[in-house]
Amino acid sequence: MEIAFLGLGIMGSRMAANLARAGHAVRVWNRTAEKAEALASSGCTPVDSPKQAVAGAKFVVTMLADPQALQDVALGQGMVDAMAAGSLWIDCSTVDPSTSRRMAQEAATRDLKFLDAPVSGSSGAAANAKLVFFVGGDAQDLESARPLFEAMGARTVHAGAQGAGASLKLVNNLFLAQAQAAWSEALGLAEKFGLSQETVNEAILPTHVAPAFLGFKRFKIESRDWSPEFPLKHALKDIRLALSAAKDAGMDLTQLAAAEALYAQALSRGFGDADISAIHEIASRG
Ligand code: NAP
């Protein structure tokens, strides 16, 4: 199947490689061209522009940083104008639901189909095709794309109409970001109480109180290894998207607003490109 894949960062590079591994013909484009060229060894075909990538493709997958990047590529660089009529655009970037619905509208006016399909799971899940897709859009479109989702992930959740995948993803990430910060605050207090990090980890992480992802992140915190799986700047982006979307929905997220201040501080201290777990450097200090 002819597929175009645009956006080859931490997640996109691994997802595109899995599509090629499953036997699909994948044309890849990335703003920084070296990342596309690096995927030639995985069986993908690097191209020089979004237009070149999507020309004649039946499926187009985007995995870009944020709403601005998505608009720059899809509209600014002519991606949607170059897509073949009737082809399906699957946007896996984490954006807000109103951006997804706007992109769906841009697609519809050009006789294109659109699914918002952000993912749960980080670089390891992307590499091992264990992602969970949160999909918004038409059920038939989802079915037609199932071979792609199965090549990249372990589970696909149909959340509802266009924008519902993005909504579910923001709900997921507002919890994730707060849980990561709350855990570090708890570890900070434990240290003040004279408890070792190992005691806390061994006692609490296996219980139902702790979210499962902390079982992985504990090792990054223990070794202060802030190499990025999920860049902290993207966690802050998601917090801000959730705060703004909540406001539009008539809700103030007071806990999330407190978390936003912590993540903003981490960004200003130079941890933007570090892993989300680097929030430990701020949240554990009180
Ligand atoms: P990343 O490594 O920072 O990659 C971001 C991608 O967006 C790169 O391909 C980057 O191109 C591109 N980009 C940024 N601004 C652009 C612009 N103005 N024009 C064109 N391309 C632009 O991020 P990632 O971790 O792969 O995440 C991608 C998306 O998935 C984000 O929305 C993130 O929130 C979401 N997500 C991430 C994870 C995770 O654990 N990492 C998990 C679930 C969801 P360059 O290479 O040229 O910079």
Side-chain angles (χ1 to χ4, degrees):
M1 224 163 334
E2 192 90 341
I3 299 169
F5 202 112
L6 296 87
L8 305 166
I10 292 172
M11 300 297 283
S13 56
R14 291 163 172 84
M15 294 161 72
N18 280 333
L19 287 171
R21 200 165 292 129
H24 301 295
V26 188
R27 282 199 298 267
V28 289
W29 173 83
N30 194 63
R31 178 180 63 177
T32 306
E34 294 76 38
K35 293 183 191 171
E37 282 148 21
L39 278 174
S41 59
S42 303
C44 299
T45 305
V47 296
D48 293 332
S49 71
K51 286 184 183 174
Q52 239 180 304
V54 304
K58 193 168 172 208
F59 296 97
V60 171
V61 186
T62 44
M63 189 46 158
L64 295 155
D66 52 28
Q68 190 59 54
L70 184 63
Q71 284 177 59
D72 285 355
V73 173
L75 306 179
Q77 298 200 51
M79 183 196 95
V80 284
D81 289 327
M83 283 176 65
S87 58
L88 173 60
W89 172 16
I90 304 165
D91 179 38
C92 297
S93 326
T94 303
V95 298
D96 52 308
S98 63
T99 295
S100 292
R101 285 191 287 268
R102 202 160 63 250
M103 294 299 128
Q105 192 57 43
E106 295 285 354
T109 59
R110 293 166 175 85
D111 195 20
L112 308 171
K113 297 168 185 160
F114 177 88
L115 294 172
D116 43 303
V119 302
S120 170
S122 199
S123 56
N128 298 318
K130 297 284 184 217
L131 293 170
V132 178
F133 288 89
F134 298 156
V135 184
D138 185 85
Q140 268 185 337
D141 292 342
L142 190 160
E143 281 316 312
S144 75
R146 197 168 283 284
L148 280 70
F149 290 129
E150 286 179 349
M152 298 185 285
R155 202 155 59 90
T156 303
V157 178
H158 188 202
Q162 288 161 333
S167 300
L168 185 55
K169 176 62 181 168
L170 288 190
V171 167
N172 183 84
N173 276 26
L174 80 82
F175 176 74
L176 170 80
Q178 288 183 88
Q180 186 76 68
W183 182 243
S184 282
E185 194 169 73
L187 285 177
L189 179 62
E191 197 182 335
K192 295 276 185 217
F193 287 167
L195 296 165
S196 77
Q197 215 179 88
E198 194 187 357
T199 300
V200 178
N201 284 335
E202 295 300 327
I204 299 175
L205 290 181
T207 71
H208 293 302
V209 166
F213 79 93
L214 292 174
F216 303 105
K217 293 297 186 188
R218 70 170 282 191
F219 300 110
K220 292 187 80 63
I221 293 172
E222 278 169 359
S223 58
R224 286 193 148 68
D225 163 19
W226 307 136
S227 57
E229 295 168 349
F230 178 35
L232 187 143
K233 64 184 177 193
H234 291 333
L236 178 58
K237 174 254 306 179
D238 295 347
I239 289 172
R240 288 176 170 162
L241 291 176
L243 285 170
S244 161
K247 208 173 221 31
D248 291 345
M251 187 172 176
D252 282 327
L253 302 177
T254 48
Q255 290 190 83
L256 192 63
E260 194 251 359
L262 289 176
Y263 280 88
Q265 201 184 325
L267 189 80
S268 70
R269 293 262 306 275
F271 291 108
D273 290 321
D275 190 62
I276 183 176
S277 52
I279 195 63
H280 189 77
E281 297 286 7
I282 310 296
S284 67
R285 288 179 182 14

